[in-house]
Amino acid sequence: MNKRYRPEHQETALEFRDVTYTHKGSQSAIFQHVQAEVKQGEFVSLLGPSGSGKSTFFRLAAGLSHPDQGTVFLHGSVPETRLGRVGYMPQQDLLLPWRTILENGMLPLEINGVPKKEAAHNVSAHLKAFGLDGVENQYPHELSGGMRQRVSFLRAVVGGSDILMLDEPFSALDSITRFMMQEWLLEQWQMAGQTLIFITHDIEEALFLSDRILLFTQPPIEGRFTEITVPLPRPRKENARDHPELLKLKRELINRMRGEGGII
Ligand SMILES: Nc1ncnc2c1ncn2[C@@H]1O[C@H](COP(=O)(O)OP(=O)(O)OP(=O)(O)O)[C@@H](O)[C@H]1O
Ligand SMILES: [Mg+2]
């Protein structure tokens, strides 16, 4: 068992307290009095159909949108700015077209005042693990969608924030690369002990990776999310994918999502 992973004893890293939010120009609230907590060091996935508000939840957590009512806490307080306090990989990669891959990766470090040389060194050390060795001097338009996604993922990780929010980071990858990246992510997380919040449409991915899964239903979402706890021990290896408990939970989740009328 990973020593750093003891969510039952951990402080709360992220809390939504009584959060109500309506998109500008929209007639109805997407969240009503929503309550959610993620503990420090936990791996939590947000799973739900398209349009159910998963990315909106991230934008509120990252401070890119603000609740109409209620509060979003980071480590028990409301920081003046949340930007830079959380590593955020948005659903659409927001790579800057005029910067090379290396320079794109360096961005969060530069924003945090790290000297360019040190930032370049830090990012270079990660290129291989992200399968980006050799493309560091290319520009985003020269890369495939899956590669751009990996650059965006690297950028969220190198910032060094202890809360990492990844919005469908593996959706553009082929299935083998995806499996490898999932296992790599688990290893990194198990070593570093960050808080990881992960959006996915993929039930098996959510089950394999997470401690807990929050289920998003068609909006409005009111109060607490329905949640599933994944009872498999850590560290999890590749063979955990076939664990009978996961297969049982997968069936249960499919039935539940069907019952909600959602398309994942
Ligand atoms: N800026 C915006 N202005 C108005 N409505 C928005 C805005 N952004 C999102 N929405 C609406 O809010 C709802 C939730 O969107 P969101 O992007 O959070 O869903 P999602 O669960 O991330 O979906 P997907 O799985 O397709 O990425 C959708 O109905 C969407 O149309
Ligand atoms: Mg989304």
Side-chain angles (χ1 to χ4, degrees):
M1 187 71 141
N2 183 339
K3 287 204 182 74
R4 298 192 66 163
Y5 172 70
R6 292 200 203 92
E8 65 276 22
H9 302 303
Q10 296 285 5
E11 312 243 313
T12 301
L14 171 72
E15 180 185 354
F16 275 46
R17 195 181 294 171
D18 197 28
V19 168
T20 296
Y21 181 73
T22 307
H23 281 295
K24 278 193 185 61
S26 173
Q27 298 296 321
S28 47
I30 182 161
F31 297 134
Q32 280 181 348
H33 306 289
V34 160
Q35 199 74 32
E37 297 92 27
V38 177
K39 299 284 182 196
Q40 217 163 301
E42 232 188 337
F43 198 132
V44 172
S45 287
L46 316 183
L47 181 71
S50 192
S52 58
K54 304 179 298 295
S55 297
T56 304
F57 183 95
F58 265 18
R59 291 182 58 81
L60 286 161
L64 299 168
S65 302
H66 302 283
D68 305 326
Q69 192 190 317
T71 315
V72 178
F73 294 91
L74 284 187
H75 299 297
S77 63
V78 184
E80 256 174 41
T81 170
R82 238 174 290 265
L83 292 172
R85 301 279 309 261
V86 293
Y88 174 39
M89 175 181 167
Q91 191 164 5
Q92 278 87 28
D93 76 61
L94 299 175
L95 301 179
L96 302 177
W98 60 88
R99 284 190 149 220
T100 64
I101 299 313
L102 182 70
E103 289 164 348
N104 265 288
M106 287 158 57
L107 204 61
L109 297 168
E110 285 178 39
I111 290 170
N112 286 335
V114 176
K116 274 199 170 163
K117 209 168 159 191
E118 194 182 324
H121 185 74
N122 191 332
V123 172
S124 299
H126 283 83
L127 288 170
K128 191 153 189 263
F130 283 78
L132 294 167
D133 225 7
V135 299
E136 58 270 34
N137 295 320
Q138 295 188 18
Y139 288 86
H141 74 270
E142 298 175 273
L143 266 50
S144 70
M147 286 175 104
R148 279 203 302 273
Q149 213 172 26
R150 276 180 268 158
V151 179
S152 181
F153 183 17
L154 178 149
R155 192 162 68 174
V157 170
V158 294
S161 311
D162 68 343
I163 303 178
L164 211 52
M165 302 195 307
L166 309 176
D167 196 342
E168 301 196 37
F170 303 144
S171 61
L173 303 180
D174 65 89
S175 57
I176 295 298
T177 311
R178 186 174 182 140
F179 278 9
M180 286 165 64
M181 289 301 282
Q182 289 167 355
E183 286 153 27
W184 178 87
L185 177 66
L186 268 192
E187 267 174 39
Q188 296 297 312
W189 169 76
Q190 277 159 178
M191 268 191 313
Q194 304 116 320
T195 306
L196 234 150
I197 317 175
F198 186 95
I199 294 180
T200 179
H201 282 242
D202 186 326
I203 294 178
E204 289 174 17
E205 180 169 83
L207 286 168
F208 174 59
L209 295 175
S210 319
D211 299 312
R212 245 173 352 119
I213 302 172
L214 304 185
L215 292 182
F216 279 60
T217 51
Q218 288 300 347
I221 293 173
E222 295 181 42
R224 289 205 160 270
F225 291 94
T226 303
E227 65 173 62
I228 303 255
T229 300
V230 184
L232 292 198
R234 304 279 188 187
R236 286 181 202 160
K237 292 269 189 263
E238 200 269 333
N239 58 8
R241 294 181 193 279
D242 304 321
H243 197 287
E245 188 64 31
L246 283 203
L247 300 179
K248 200 175 117 216
L249 279 174
K250 180 181 160 190
R251 177 53 45 202
E252 202 180 305
L253 268 168
I254 290 172
N255 289 339
R256 208 184 277 222
M257 303 308 277
R258 281 214 178 117
E260 302 280 356
I263 302 156
I264 298 196

